[in-house]
């Protein structure tokens, strides 16, 4: 088996943002912590930490950290049944890759009470779908929320439902660019807002309306910034209905073409061997998703 | 001088998300576009594009793109004075690095009408301050909004004012963790929410209240997600007043210790030789910032 004294030292340095605090937490001297990290690096044959302020894990360091987190989760499930084993009993950490729009909308309400009840700390990594799954494959995250159904080896995926997107813009933007309605010619000319190079929602929406070829767009890799730029009249964009409902209701933004949503399916991926806690979290997510997401259409 | 035919081909492939659309835009065959990219790569001695779908610029590719954008901005200023020179006259692009909280709050209203009036398309890169300035130094972005005053060589920085942060949590969280008030002991135990490894706001706030050493925290690198996790009761966190005012007013979140804000100064960095358009944008930002940010205290 791995030497968990060494791995715990790595986790402490990263989670405590430095050697000094890690030493405090572990009840060791700083040089003892430092020696454990060096020994770990000698064993894996490469650096596990970038010595910056604060120290950061290297790629292999992140894999080891995620492994530590998974082992702690499993230990925790055992502790529930064999309380005598527990020592200290701090909160556990779970690293999750998630798409920005889920994190900006339904996610918080789905996990808040669960985390409080189970003393679970979350580390969110915001990634588009393919990158998120890649992180899962190499063991950098223990779970992933994304739009891809197919699980990576060793994991399973659960369908949560779909996020519904609406193409919206400010009333002033619509009046300026689409005075006679948003036809294909006008849509190809008016500036859009695109989240990033992997965001094809605007392209899909335009293609559905017969607009092929290029169009002008701003780039904004922030869910909240995206919505603000849209409602300020900088461009039109596809925004989650969950995020824009209030602005639609009170008229601060309007749909370009009413009744043309785009639905994006959402899946929860998690390791098979994640133990009962991940299983419970999965059930909790399914319950909430059934309420807040729309049923899949496929 | 550089060969701008080659650079324009690079810009078209990246901005149009592919060789086919770039060829359409430039009125060339796909193989002609491809040849220009290869010739450019032969000259710079390394790849400028990652051949993925969509193609993405390499690091050196991004530097060249930013250079193209800066040249276009300068050309545009000349065109205003010498209209005969203009050909086509599409919208220009400006790459800006910005901290997530500015993008999620005051930025959109500050730039929306300016961009519409000047037909300017923005590419936002969300980065913490040091990384943002580093991108500026290597020429990947033309301007930067961040908390560091000192400009990089060739650029100047303008003080915009300060963003005010409030330490908030949901009433249920406060009742659970701080039934007798948020003292140092309770604060050290209650889970915080931290944006990322560079976010030291929560540490600063705790240090100001006499809490030293480690504390538990969730990680959430998303402004909107951060606010949602806070108001859902997952943890306490430092949130921009601009973003949380409404939630504070209607009682959905409360301050941990009333009247203890943390102010973070904001600076606008831009290239000296950015031309009149960047100058006008700078004046516009200063006008808006004076209204929405708080005066600096130093």
């Amino acid at each position: 088996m791995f030497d968990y004294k060494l791995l715990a030292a790595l986790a402490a340095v990263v989670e405590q943002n430095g050697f000094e605090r890690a030493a405090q937490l572990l009840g060791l001297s700083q040089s003892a912590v430092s020696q454990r990290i060096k020994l770990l690096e000698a064993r894996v044959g490469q650096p596990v930490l970038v010595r910056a302020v604060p120290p950061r894990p290297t790629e292999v360091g992140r894999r080891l950290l995620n492994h530590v987190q998974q082992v702690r989760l499993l230990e925790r499930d055992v502790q529930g049944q064999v309380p005598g084993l527990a020592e200290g009993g701090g909160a556990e950490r779970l690293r999750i890759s998630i798409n920005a729009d889920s994190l900006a909308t339904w996610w918080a309400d789905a996990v808040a009470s669960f985390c409080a009840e189970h003393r679970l700390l979350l580390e969110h990594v915001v990634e588009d779908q393919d990158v998120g799954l890649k992180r899962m494959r190499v063991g950098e995250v223990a779970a992933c929320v994304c739009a891809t159904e197919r699980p990576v080896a060793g994991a399973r995926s659960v369908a949560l439902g779909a996020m519904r997107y609406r193409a919206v813009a400010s009333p002033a933007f619509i009046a300026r660019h689409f005075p006679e309605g948003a036809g294909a010619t006008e849509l190809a000319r008016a500036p859009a807002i695109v989240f990033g190079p992997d965001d094809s929602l605007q392209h899909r929406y335009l293609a559905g309306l017969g607009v092929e070829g290029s169009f002008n767009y701003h780039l904004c890799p922030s869910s909240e910034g995206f919505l603000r730029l849209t409602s300020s009249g900088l461009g039109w964009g596809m925004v989650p209905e969950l995020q824009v409902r209030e602005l639609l209701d009170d008229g601060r933004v309007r749909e370009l073409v009413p009744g043309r949503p785009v639905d994006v399916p959402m899946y929860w991926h998690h390791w098979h061997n994640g133990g009962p806690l991940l299983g419970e979290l999965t059930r909790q997510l399914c319950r909430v998703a059934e309420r807040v997401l729309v049923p899949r259409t496929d």
Side-chain angles (χ1 to χ4, degrees), chain A:
Chain A
M1 281 194 76
F2 294 170
D3 186 339
Y4 286 93
K5 274 206 309 288
L6 310 186
L7 291 174
L10 172 65
V13 171
V14 173
E15 289 165 7
Q16 303 300 320
N17 276 315
F19 285 81
E20 191 183 335
R21 285 189 181 164
Q24 278 172 15
L25 181 81
L26 298 169
L28 295 168
S29 69
Q30 271 197 60
S31 79
V33 174
S34 191
Q35 272 169 12
R36 287 186 185 187
I37 300 290
K38 278 182 201 147
L39 187 52
L40 181 61
E41 291 182 326
R43 294 220 181 142
V44 301
Q46 53 180 299
V48 296
L49 277 180
V50 179
R51 266 70 167 186
V53 180
R56 280 181 228 188
T58 60
E59 202 182 316
V60 68
R62 280 199 301 273
R63 290 187 207 179
L64 294 174
L65 275 179
N66 188 55
H67 172 72
V68 171
Q69 290 177 1
Q70 287 187 267
V71 170
R72 281 184 187 157
L73 274 182
L74 292 173
E75 286 181 355
R76 199 189 146 90
D77 291 323
V78 176
Q79 282 171 17
Q81 295 146 16
V82 193
L85 268 176
E87 44 165 347
E92 296 312 334
R93 309 182 77 83
L94 187 65
R95 238 174 118 83
I96 294 175
S97 165
I98 183 166
N99 65 314
D101 286 336
S102 288
L103 188 51
T105 55
W106 60 275
W107 179 254
D109 285 338
V111 296
S113 61
F114 186 88
C115 289
E117 195 182 318
H118 293 86
R119 298 198 64 203
L120 183 64
L121 296 174
L122 299 180
E123 293 189 15
H124 298 98
V125 182
V126 176
E127 290 292 9
D128 270 322
Q129 52 201 73
D130 294 334
V131 183
L133 281 179
K134 203 173 136 202
R135 280 188 191 270
M136 199 161 162
R137 190 177 303 119
V138 300
E140 283 180 22
V141 299
C144 173
V145 176
C146 71
T148 302
E149 179 165 15
R150 201 172 155 203
V152 300
R156 79 188 187 100
S157 81
V158 182
L160 294 173
M163 284 190 79
R164 176 156 288 176
Y165 285 78
R166 302 268 177 195
V168 301
S170 72
F173 183 90
I174 290 175
R176 189 163 69 243
H177 291 277
F178 314 124
E180 325 261 305
T185 323
E186 294 78 26
L187 276 167
R189 272 201 216 123
I193 307 177
V194 170
F195 191 84
D198 294 328
D199 172 14
S200 59
L201 275 177
Q202 285 70 220
H203 297 75
R204 271 170 64 187
Y205 182 77
L206 288 179
L209 289 167
V211 182
E212 300 290 348
S214 66
F215 58 94
N216 284 331
Y217 58 87
H218 302 271
L219 276 178
C220 179
S222 149
S223 285
E224 180 66 5
F226 195 105
L227 183 60
R228 297 223 173 222
L229 292 177
T230 310
S231 53
S232 295
L234 199 74
W236 69 272
M238 305 295 298
V239 181
E241 193 175 71
L242 288 169
Q243 198 175 12
V244 81
R245 203 172 279 149
E246 208 177 308
L247 295 185
L248 274 171
D249 285 349
D250 68 14
R252 273 181 287 172
V253 302
R254 279 169 39 203
E255 275 194 274
L256 302 193
V257 182
R260 277 194 84 93
V262 173
D263 288 349
V264 176
M266 283 287 128
Y267 298 89
W268 165 248
H269 296 253
H270 66 87
W271 291 110
H272 264 312
N273 56 357
L277 189 72
L278 257 181
E280 256 187 79
L281 178 56
T282 302
R283 282 189 292 281
Q284 160 73 1
L285 290 178
C286 289
R287 268 196 302 275
V288 173
E290 197 177 3
R291 192 158 43 77
V292 297
L293 300 182
V294 300
R296 283 183 310 157
T297 46
D298 54 330

